[in-house]
Amino acid sequence: MAQPSNPIETLQGFVDEAQRIVFFGGAGVSTESGIPDFRSPDGLYHQQYDVPPETILSHTYFQKHTASFYQFYRTRMICLTAKPNAAHQKLAELEAAGKLLAVVTQNIDGLHQMAGSRTVLELHGSVHRNICQACGAVYDAAWIMQTTGVPHCTECGRLVKPDVVLYEESLPEQTLTRAVAAIAHADLLLVGGTSLTVYPAAGLLRYFRGKHLVLLNRDATPLDDQADLCIRAPIGEVLGKIQVRKAGVS
């Protein structure tokens, strides 16, 4: 696929023309906020641990080694000092302008909501919701960080589990259904910060039937040859250059 001489200008044209934008994002969206991704050379999965992160972040490991899971969860999965970057902010602006239908994210950091986005479909849950497995009481990430060892519910004393989709667990059905509907209805799909190798999340892109598919990712993805535009640069840097105009305003 031949790339335009001015990809930012091309992207601006796509955004101006679009009436129903959906953003599908992964860990690369938050790297500019200081949160490491997973699969890049310096990402979480390439760091050395006694137990691989993929194993620690599994349902089985949570059940059998709950204390060790929480040690990793507190030190590697929760970052309360992170702030939204230009990508999060621009997407919130697009939604406020009536251009963006939804953000579909694989991230669990809550930065889209912090930036002001309202329709955020969290495929993998959020560290900001931690739920008692018995009575359903909900605790935020700050509460988890104040606990030690295995956190237990202050209401009933039972185990609290992060509302995060672990390996071996299914994606939340209602969120998945809403994500499919949003992507199917979009006329412009912006995909950013994801390797598009994690399923079933990556499989959602097959529901897109709109006009333009844009990939914003540092590295090549399996869908590059199907995209109308690929930009390999930091997402915040790219989206930060886009002007937001209200729907119907040229």
Side-chain angles (χ1 to χ4, degrees), residues 164-239:
V164 170
V165 178
L166 303 176
Y167 288 102
E168 304 168 346
E169 295 179 344
S170 300
L171 299 187
E173 185 174 345
Q174 183 178 14
T175 303
L176 202 57
T177 299
R178 292 180 65 195
V180 168
I183 291 172
H185 194 55
D187 56 8
L188 170 61
L189 181 60
L190 303 176
V191 179
T194 172
S195 63
L196 294 178
T197 59
V198 179
Y199 285 82
L204 295 180
L205 269 64
R206 72 178 184 271
Y207 293 100
F208 179 61
R209 295 292 184 271
K211 190 169 184 180
H212 295 300
L213 171 64
V214 176
L215 300 183
L216 311 172
N217 201 53
R218 184 174 64 179
D219 303 312
T221 78
L223 291 185
D224 280 9
D225 60 347
Q226 299 179 36
D228 298 287
L229 178 66
C230 295
I231 302 179
R232 294 184 184 171
I235 302 170
E237 178 183 307
V238 172
L239 292 184

Side-chain angles (χ1 to χ4, degrees), residues 109-178:
D109 52 43
L111 292 181
H112 286 293
Q113 291 93 328
M114 192 182 299
S117 290
R118 295 188 176 186
T119 305
V120 182
L121 306 179
E122 297 172 313
L123 296 175
H124 294 161
S126 173
V127 298
H128 298 284
R129 296 186 302 272
N130 301 274
I131 303 174
C132 174
Q133 299 300 280
C135 73
V138 181
Y139 300 90
D140 62 18
W143 182 86
I144 291 291
M145 295 299 287
Q146 293 170 0
T147 63
T148 57
V150 178
H152 291 89
C153 179
T154 59
E155 299 295 325
C156 70
R158 300 291 291 275
L159 175 65
V160 172
K161 179 183 180 295
D163 188 20
V164 170
V165 178
L166 303 176
Y167 288 102
E168 304 168 346
E169 295 179 344
S170 300
L171 299 187
E173 185 174 345
Q174 183 178 14
T175 303
L176 202 57
T177 299
R178 292 180 65 195

